[in-house]
Amino acid sequence: MPRPTTANRGYPQPHPDNTLMTDVERLKQALEMIDQDINLLDNQNSESALAQNEKLRRIRLNSLLGENLFVI
């Protein structure tokens, strides 16, 4: 049974020589892998956004106070 995958992330792909049942399972696995990758990226983006917002908050406070009291 051929087991082709995508070039970058290695997601399973269907193949004309595979049975429909085999390819359905491969596509199911690919969708689960994609879902996990998107969830990981969403979590990383959320953490990055929180850190960026905190940095901007400190910059604004330093600017309002006219001093560098908060480390950026």
Side-chain angles (χ1 to χ4, degrees), residues 5-24:
T5 59
T6 60
N8 295 310
R9 300 291 301 159
Y11 300 137
Q13 292 181 313
H15 190 276
D17 293 343
N18 290 343
T19 65
L20 181 58
M21 182 173 238
T22 298
D23 277 346
V24 166

Side-chain angles (χ1 to χ4, degrees), residues 4 7 9 22-23 31 35 37 40 45 49-51 58 63 71:
R9 300 291 301 159
T22 298
D23 277 346
L31 289 171
D35 182 61
D37 285 347
L40 178 64
N45 287 338
L50 288 173
R58 289 171 184 234
S63 178
V71 179

Side-chain angles (χ1 to χ4, degrees), residues 22-64:
T22 298
D23 277 346
V24 166
E25 287 300 318
R26 291 177 60 72
L27 290 171
K28 179 183 171 195
Q29 182 184 8
L31 289 171
E32 289 171 355
M33 292 169 72
I34 292 166
D35 182 61
Q36 289 174 353
D37 285 347
I38 289 173
N39 187 55
L40 178 64
L41 290 172
D42 281 347
N43 289 339
Q44 290 172 346
N45 287 338
S46 293
E47 291 172 7
S48 178
L50 288 173
Q52 188 66 23
N53 285 339
E54 177 61 18
K55 184 176 180 180
L56 289 173
R57 186 185 72 80
R58 289 171 184 234
I59 289 171
R60 287 184 194 120
L61 285 172
N62 283 343
S63 178
L64 286 171

